Amino acid sequence: RPSGFLVGNLVVRAGITELVGKPKNGKTQVAVATAVAVATGRDFGDNPAFPVTPHHEGIPHRVSWLSCDETTERVRERLTPYNLTPDELARIKIWDLPARRALQFGTQPPQQARINWRVWAEELLASGTSLLVVDHLMGVVDGVGINDTSGVIWWSISTTASGDMRA
């Protein structure tokens, strides 16, 4: 039976895990380390106390990263110290918010934003994404690029036996 957690007892397998803290205290770096652990199957922080639960189909997990205030290039720079292989790096898809502007609640009616999120989540599931990192949530809620009032949020995405999305 699969664990209730995707990473140790830090990130739930199907649901939302939020990482909050003061600005510039390493939230994004913790999220990067988590994304690397999930995409590679390595223990979080190389610590066996925080293992990554294997994908139910035996294939590597995929991670999608929605960056609301950093460029795709900057997020990739954050991955460099981990010396990922090309295959491991390919399992981490980075989106910047301008590319996914339709997800912003402040730029359109809330109902339409919810529909857009649902469509995107279904696309992520179809691509095999197990973990969605949103850095940072305020950028999605109202387009604010300020880090002072927000955190990093992880959505662990899975499907039930009937194929319904669970998050």
Side-chain angles (χ1 to χ4, degrees):
R1 181 178 157 191
S3 161
F5 291 92
L6 183 61
V7 179
N9 61 353
L10 300 174
V11 179
V12 294
R13 187 173 188 83
I16 298 173
T17 303
E18 190 171 5
L19 174 64
V20 295
K22 293 182 179 184
K24 306 301 174 193
N25 273 349
K27 297 179 298 290
T28 297
Q29 202 52 47
V30 170
V32 167
T34 304
V36 167
V38 171
T40 64
R42 299 179 206 149
D43 296 335
F44 172 77
D46 291 325
N47 185 334
F50 301 108
V52 172
T53 302
H55 194 282
H56 67 278
E57 295 175 2
I59 57 175
H61 291 286
R62 292 192 176 277
V63 175
S64 287
W65 183 289
L66 178 60
S67 180
C68 297
D69 66 349
E70 290 187 338
T71 64
T72 300
E73 293 77 26
R74 175 64 184 124
V75 177
R76 287 216 183 278
E77 287 172 13
R78 289 179 177 272
L79 295 169
T80 302
Y82 293 94
N83 297 314
L84 300 175
T85 68
D87 285 343
E88 291 169 337
L89 193 56
R91 290 194 292 268
I92 302 174
K93 171 70 175 163
I94 303 166
W95 308 83
D96 59 12
L97 190 56
R100 301 306 295 186
R101 186 68 59 197
L103 301 176
Q104 267 188 302
F105 281 87
T107 61
Q108 62 194 317
Q111 181 61 28
Q112 185 60 51
R114 282 193 290 276
I115 291 168
N116 294 345
W117 271 97
R118 177 72 180 193
V119 168
W120 192 44
E122 289 171 0
E123 290 173 13
L124 294 176
L125 277 172
S127 74
T129 295
S130 298
L131 179 69
L132 169 61
V133 178
V134 178
D135 184 13
H136 57 83
L137 194 55
M138 289 302 290
V140 172
V141 173
D142 62 9
V144 174
I146 299 170
N147 207 5
D148 294 347
T149 58
S150 63
V152 176
I153 192 161
W154 293 289
W155 268 280
S156 297
I157 303 174
S158 67
T159 54
T160 62
S162 65
D164 294 331
M165 182 176 57
R166 290 177 40 192

